[in-house]
Amino acid sequence: MRLPRFEYVKASTTGEALAALQAGDGQTRILAGGTDLLVNMKYRIERPATVIGIRTIDELCSVTTGSDGSLHLGAGVTLSSLAENSLIKESCPGLGRAITAVGSKHIRNMGTIGGNACLNTRCWYYNQSQLWRDAREVCRKAGGNVCHAINGSERCHAINSSDTAPMLVALDAEMVIQNREGERRVLAREFYRNDGVRYNALEPEEMLSRIEIPRGNTERRTAFIKICSRRGLDFAMANIGAAVSVKAGRCSQVRIVIGAIASHPLILEKTAAVVEEGGLSEGGMEQAADTARTELGTLTNLFSSAGYKRQLAQVLVKRVLQELKGSSRNKRRAGK
Amino acid sequence: MARKSNPYSVIGRRQPKLDAPLKATGRSVFSDDVYLPGMLHGKILRSTIPRGKILNIDTSQAMRLPGVKAVITHKDSGGIMAGPDQQVLCDDQVCYVGDEVAAVAAIDEDTAIEAAELIKVEYEPMQAVLTIEEAVAKGAPVLHQYFEDNYADEKDLKFGDTEKTFDESDHIRTDEFTINPTHNCFAELHLALVDYSMPDKLTIWTPNQTAILIQQSMATSLGISQSKVRVCSLNTGGAFSGRGTVRPHHLIAALLSRKAARPVKIMADADEEFIICRSGGRDKIVLKTGVKNDGTLKVIEADFMHDCGAYVETQFIIMTIVSANLQMLFKLEAMRYRGRLVYTNNAPCFFHHGGGIVPAQFALGQHLHCVAHDLGIDPVDFYLHNAVGKGHTTLSKTYYASCGLKECIQKTAKKSGWKKKYGKLQPYRGIGIGCGVMSSGGKGMFQHDTSAAFLKIDEDGRLSLFTGLPDMGQGSHTTMAMIAAETLGISAEDITVVSGDTDIAPFDVGAFSQRGTFTTGNAVRAACRDAKKQLEKTASQKLDVKPSLLVFKDNKVYPRGFPEKAISFEDIVFDTLHSQEGRYVMGRGFYNSPTQKPALAYSFGAQIAEVEVDPETGIVRLLRMTVAHDVGRAINPLAVEGQMDGQVFSGMGQTLFEERLVENGQVLNPSMAGYKNPRPFEVPEIEHIIVETIDPYGPYGAKEVGEGPIACVPHAVANAVSSAVGYCFRELPLTPERVLEAIRKKNRQQ
């Protein structure tokens, strides 16, 4: 497949990129690794007039530690380099697992954390060629008024398949968003929206510049699991990110987030409450998994049946809790 | 593995493919690597509705776009057929989403895409028929005007007295199976580069598995003589029975080239590939079997329906293969087969790798597994009890001059530790056996099944071998070189195989029906013997012995028993030319199986699969395959093992992973991300067992390994999953959702 024609702007500072974004009048897209955007452009589902390259902006490509011990991930850092990052491995191994679960080594070499966090939602009826889409009524995601995934639905049900998104939500990460006026911070849990069209909080003239992961206490345990029918190089049928603080057998600050089955990562609050109540006992974990099944709300038959998605969610909750139970405490080095 | 003593110096050696260095270093040339001066790029505009009338096609805007050199519609292609029921470009009606409506040729691909988008087509939609059930229902719209109903073809076969044998059976079982559509996933996309700039010669570069059939049908369709069509075959990225016929894109490229008077290349987009590839269609199979309590099979009855989509070409092969398969593995007293091809408004379907054998073998395997289970008999004992053997004649009067089926079953059972594992594995682990049979050669589908070969030997003793047999990666050219090398007592590396140009190569029906090694191999051997005779004349004079006492071995010629008197092969060739007679050594040979049956030789196989099922997600992992195949003789054991590995991979994909999801005639998952074909991560541990039965008709005793092993894979893998979860599967593929559903049904039964 061929790329459509577009103008390319190579930005060397964040300011240049933001200026180009604003000038683009909504017809401009940020190109980081291109592993999502370029594929969509080849399908002609994105036809930006201008594409802004940000790979040469140094400030977007660094990992630093904040004064409060939080981890600052530049949006342009490649997934490969984050996979090797010792700070992530030590303080939130679950995020490390989510990062290495993305695509293949080649894709992680190109793809960035910002790109994966902002991954476009996907649908059988949207991610298709022009010819394919011409055979059906224009769907909501393509600017029309129908949803082919759920007939009569008032919103778009395209699925957010990002592997890092559920983990970022579970970690209470903050997304730092910039435009020409300045920056604003949005919690990851508010960044993602249950709408396949407006799937995140970014406005057309804004870009994600940084993701901040709070330090967490020394009792924090994190885990991530992804299920696909093939052993690698595949989008998840479902994935899960979880974080919990375990102290003297008690669980607190429980975050359990299911991804890749809805338009946004699903935060399982009732399930989390069950874990805070019942802890990581066998019975408690079973009860939490059962709760998860009922907590998911309406699901589509996109990519797999709603019933199968529910089953996977239940299994994932059980497995992630078992992993959290077995995982050792954070091995955060003294003084850091 | 231990092998019997090998009397040959080239045959039976593990010979790396002669073209491996080129492939490994990226120097191999494929059709898309060819760029001709002035070449244009073509693009096809396809129907967006499954069925309807074309009211109007407006090409005016497309023609005005700068860079566009030709636009064609049915007005330019009128009367030219791409198949028995298909026009090259739709006339007044479209029959599926993707049907060819118009085409453009432009100076580059971007311009061609833009121009195609500028063509406006007005349709009047008609009621579409999208399933087998809808197509055969009373009052269904008839999709092709020359037919009275939607059955494109029917076959009804009966051997023996089925009613009587069912009456005599102790146990009768009936199962119904559904096989969902698949896609071949060719590594190389569909492509045609045609130079028809001048009306006196048409040259086409296209990946194919039979240049001669492409040549014949291009000539027939365009109404020109065969020798005016030159087919150039470079390397081919996968064929799997899907590159043997002319498709609309070949003819469209030709028509565009003629109109623009410039060469035109058309290459399918990755998702277009899923529409035009003509992979596996949906099948329905009902099997009914009668058996005695001691496990003796008496009778099998089958009803088979295949959704062939909007158009047919050679789908009747599927019916032949499915029907043949039912009575070729096991001894039976009677058999009844009813097969029907059904027209729908889906994309035309042909078959996936294995020529229809995978659906048939999945159904037969699950069915017989259940029959054995009903009787409380171990499947290995059941198959051994009923297996055909050497000297057996099937109900359809096919005679087996060699047969290693029992040996394959016994060896796989022993190697895999069947007795220790069957029924004794931990929960959700399973072991299953599958058997298969395959013909070597395709006579019966064509009147003749001929291969010809010729060769020349140059002064330095090096040989050029000319063949029309393509090498699509299976290593056929290396095999041919090995047969030639053995016959002339030289080494395979001294041979250049010349192929891939119908202006040069001799006649050869092509690389399908597992005919390469057997049929072309015999032709090559005959050509080498012809050349050898010419060399023997010189050698016998020089060595003063009778020609019959000469030995050609290790690049030398010597009297039998006197290797110290050897003269080099090169010297014999040199002397033959540099004599008063001045004889230049050229050999010629051909082979056409003397039988009227589909083939003279049949190969057999057995495989045992071991799987692990995740009972919470339904995900199946194929852990180990033990593969035995009776190849007659392994010309190149390395290539035999490669064929086994490739077919285990493909068969596993079709059994566990691959499903082309279709809704309203549209493929929902036309991409390598959406279509879940397996990846190298999924390859199981594979144990190879080569069984050699030395066939009396094959070259050096060889039969086939081109599609035989895949016949066993769905049989073995599905049976293993079935054992693991205690459930008989009736729908392919065994996706996680279906396996999980089976586990739930099983649990509810308990």
Side-chain angles (χ1 to χ4, degrees), chain B residues 3 17 84 145 150 171 187 278 315 370 426 434 473 500 634 684 735 749:
Chain B
R3 290 170 49 78
K17 284 179 190 168
Q145 54 175 328
N150 291 321
H171 177 64
R278 306 202 175 187
Q315 282 98 332
C370 294
Q426 65 201 74
T735 55
Q749 282 165 14

Side-chain angles (χ1 to χ4, degrees), chain B residues 309-453:
Chain B
Y311 301 110
V312 294
E313 45 180 22
T314 45
Q315 282 98 332
F316 69 88
I317 294 170
I318 307 174
M319 293 206 293
T320 307
I321 288 174
V322 171
S323 67
N325 190 61
L326 293 171
Q327 43 95 41
M328 290 183 69
L329 266 176
F330 302 115
K331 289 173 277 186
L332 290 175
E333 286 174 32
M335 194 274 262
R336 168 84 195 264
Y337 170 86
R338 189 167 182 223
R340 281 166 293 178
L341 298 179
V342 180
Y343 277 126
T344 63
N345 292 115
N346 289 314
C349 296
F350 199 33
F351 47 64
H352 198 129
H353 186 190
I357 201 81
V358 168
Q361 280 288 74
F362 159 71
L364 185 66
Q366 281 290 278
H367 180 63
L368 293 182
H369 178 83
C370 294
V371 169
H373 186 264
D374 291 348
L375 298 171
I377 302 176
D378 181 314
V380 166
D381 298 334
F382 180 71
Y383 290 155
L384 274 176
H385 180 67
N386 290 295
V388 295
K390 184 178 172 179
H392 176 78
T393 303
T394 68
L395 291 172
S396 61
K397 304 285 177 249
T398 295
Y399 173 77
Y400 295 144
S402 66
C403 173
L405 179 57
K406 284 181 185 166
E407 194 181 340
C408 287
I409 298 173
Q410 283 158 343
K411 285 189 166 168
T412 44
K414 191 169 176 215
K415 192 88 191 176
S416 65
W418 175 271
K419 289 284 171 201
K420 277 181 281 174
K421 290 175 181 167
Y422 180 70
K424 296 167 190 148
L425 294 170
Q426 65 201 74
Y428 300 108
R429 283 266 185 136
I431 185 165
I433 183 164
C435 308
V437 51
M438 191 60 76
S439 67
S440 298
K443 203 160 176 174
M445 280 182 255
F446 326 103
Q447 282 190 316
H448 59 82
D449 187 22
T450 303
S451 287

Side-chain angles (χ1 to χ4, degrees), chain B residues 135-329:
Chain B
V136 303
K138 251 192 172 167
V142 176
L143 300 180
H144 282 274
Q145 54 175 328
Y146 304 113
F147 289 80
E148 288 170 356
D149 53 30
N150 291 321
Y151 293 116
D153 200 357
E154 293 182 67
K155 195 178 180 98
D156 201 341
L157 290 173
K158 198 175 170 183
F159 299 108
D161 188 339
T162 48
E163 282 95 48
K164 185 167 154 269
T165 38
F166 272 119
D167 284 346
E168 289 165 4
S169 301
D170 295 325
H171 177 64
I172 296 170
R173 185 187 171 97
T174 307
D175 290 301
E176 187 178 338
F177 300 92
T178 302
I179 287 86
N180 285 300
T182 51
H183 175 68
N184 291 67
C185 299
F186 292 128
E188 184 184 12
L189 303 175
H190 279 73
L191 180 151
L193 165 57
V194 178
D195 188 356
Y196 198 12
S197 316
M198 302 293 280
D200 56 341
K201 189 90 182 181
L202 183 158
T203 307
I204 176 168
W205 288 259
T206 189
N208 71 76
Q209 58 191 113
T210 161
I212 211 85
L213 294 188
I214 301 278
Q215 184 194 35
Q216 284 172 354
S217 31
M218 286 295 280
T220 309
S221 291
L222 296 171
I224 54 179
S225 77
Q226 200 175 323
S227 59
K228 280 194 174 180
V229 178
R230 176 182 170 216
V231 180
C232 298
S233 322
L234 301 165
N235 285 285
T236 292
F240 311 122
S241 325
R243 306 239 205 223
T245 47
V246 162
R247 301 272 167 84
H249 66 278
H250 295 117
L251 292 162
I252 290 171
L255 294 174
L256 285 170
S257 173
R258 188 75 281 281
K259 189 163 184 181
R262 283 165 75 166
V264 174
K265 184 190 276 184
I266 294 182
M267 183 155 85
D269 272 336
D271 67 325
E272 208 176 356
E273 192 74 7
F274 280 75
I275 306 171
I276 65 166
C277 167
R278 306 202 175 187
S279 303
R282 180 172 272 107
D283 297 315
K284 295 253 175 212
I285 307 177
V286 181
L287 290 174
K288 182 179 169 191
T289 292
V291 64
K292 298 294 275 184
N293 277 335
D294 67 353
T296 307
L297 281 168
K298 287 184 72 71
V299 52
I300 295 182
E301 203 174 86
D303 196 316
F304 173 77
M305 287 213 268
H306 174 80
D307 175 357
C308 57
Y311 301 110
V312 294
E313 45 180 22
T314 45
Q315 282 98 332
F316 69 88
I317 294 170
I318 307 174
M319 293 206 293
T320 307
I321 288 174
V322 171
S323 67
N325 190 61
L326 293 171
Q327 43 95 41
M328 290 183 69
L329 266 176

Side-chain angles (χ1 to χ4, degrees), chain A residues 62 139 253 305 310 330:
Chain A
S62 63
C139 78
Q253 292 174 34
S305 73
R310 227 169 272 286
N330 280 354

Side-chain angles (χ1 to χ4, degrees), chain A residues 145-214:
Chain A
N145 294 312
V146 298
C147 175
H148 300 299
I150 296 185
N151 282 335
S153 174
E154 290 297 312
R155 71 167 178 89
C156 166
H157 290 270
I159 283 179
N160 188 325
S161 302
S162 166
D163 284 322
T164 58
M167 200 62 231
L168 293 173
V169 175
L171 286 165
D172 292 328
E174 268 191 297
M175 318 300 264
V176 180
I177 294 169
Q178 285 191 307
N179 64 18
R180 287 197 84 179
E181 274 74 57
E183 68 173 43
R184 66 186 179 110
R185 309 165 77 84
V186 179
L187 273 174
R189 59 164 58 215
E190 282 148 20
F191 181 73
Y192 295 105
R193 293 176 176 175
N194 194 18
D195 180 340
V197 179
R198 295 294 314 265
Y199 49 92
N200 67 34
L202 285 177
E203 296 296 330
E205 71 285 356
E206 291 182 328
M207 65 183 265
L208 179 71
S209 62
R210 192 163 74 242
I211 299 171
E212 297 188 5
I213 317 276

